[in-house]
Amino acid sequence: QVQLVESGGGLVQAGGSLRLSCAASGRTFSVYTMGWFRQAPGKEREFVSAITGSVGITFYADSVKGRFTISRDNAKNTVYLQMNSLKPEDTAVYYCAATLDLTRVTRTTAMDYWGKGTLVTVSS
């Protein structure tokens, strides 16, 4: 069982930056691929970024590539999402997720565990 707790959300102006954190419980954190997803009001949850376990291969949605950076600290059981050049369309609840499935890291259905989310609001 893995428990995930997100933090770092808030209100920021367009062009600003935020760093989200996701703290995970358990001693097997490094074997999980960690993902960030987001859900805007009235829209489906969508993939943002993911990072594999010990090797740290990263994946990004086209909409955030070049602006967001995912990283992880396995010693701290934490994954981060650095978000720069934020846009109003980035406004959403951001969720952290974990999976052992390396083949479908962009799919919500592949995630085994989810956090409760943290709200990011970008004002224009």
Side-chain angles (χ1 to χ4, degrees):
Q1 189 80 345
V2 176
Q3 292 184 324
L4 305 173
V5 179
E6 304 96 335
S7 61
L11 174 63
V12 63
Q13 288 189 331
S17 299
L18 281 175
R19 188 176 83 152
L20 305 183
S21 299
C22 172
S25 65
R27 293 178 289 179
T28 59
F29 175 73
S30 64
V31 305
Y32 284 90
T33 290
M34 301 300 297
W36 286 98
F37 293 76
R38 66 187 182 186
Q39 188 166 17
K43 295 188 176 181
E44 293 188 352
R45 195 170 298 189
E46 65 176 6
F47 170 76
V48 175
S49 183
I51 185 167
T52 62
S54 56
V55 179
I57 299 170
T58 58
F59 305 84
Y60 294 96
D62 288 343
S63 59
V64 306
K65 205 170 291 184
R67 299 189 297 123
F68 291 10
T69 302
I70 191 170
S71 62
R72 66 190 295 160
D73 185 336
N74 289 336
K76 295 183 178 180
N77 280 16
T78 302
V79 62
Y80 305 97
L81 186 68
Q82 178 66 45
M83 306 186 295
N84 298 329
S85 302
L86 283 161
K87 305 175 181 180
E89 50 263 45
D90 294 317
T91 294
V93 177
Y94 283 71
Y95 297 90
C96 177
T99 183
L100 293 175
D101 186 347
L102 292 175
T103 65
R104 300 183 298 140
V105 298
T106 65
R107 305 290 183 91
T108 57
T109 53
M111 298 297 132
D112 300 310
Y113 302 101
W114 290 90
K116 294 184 178 181
T118 185
L119 177 63
V120 172
T121 304
V122 184
S123 63
S124 57

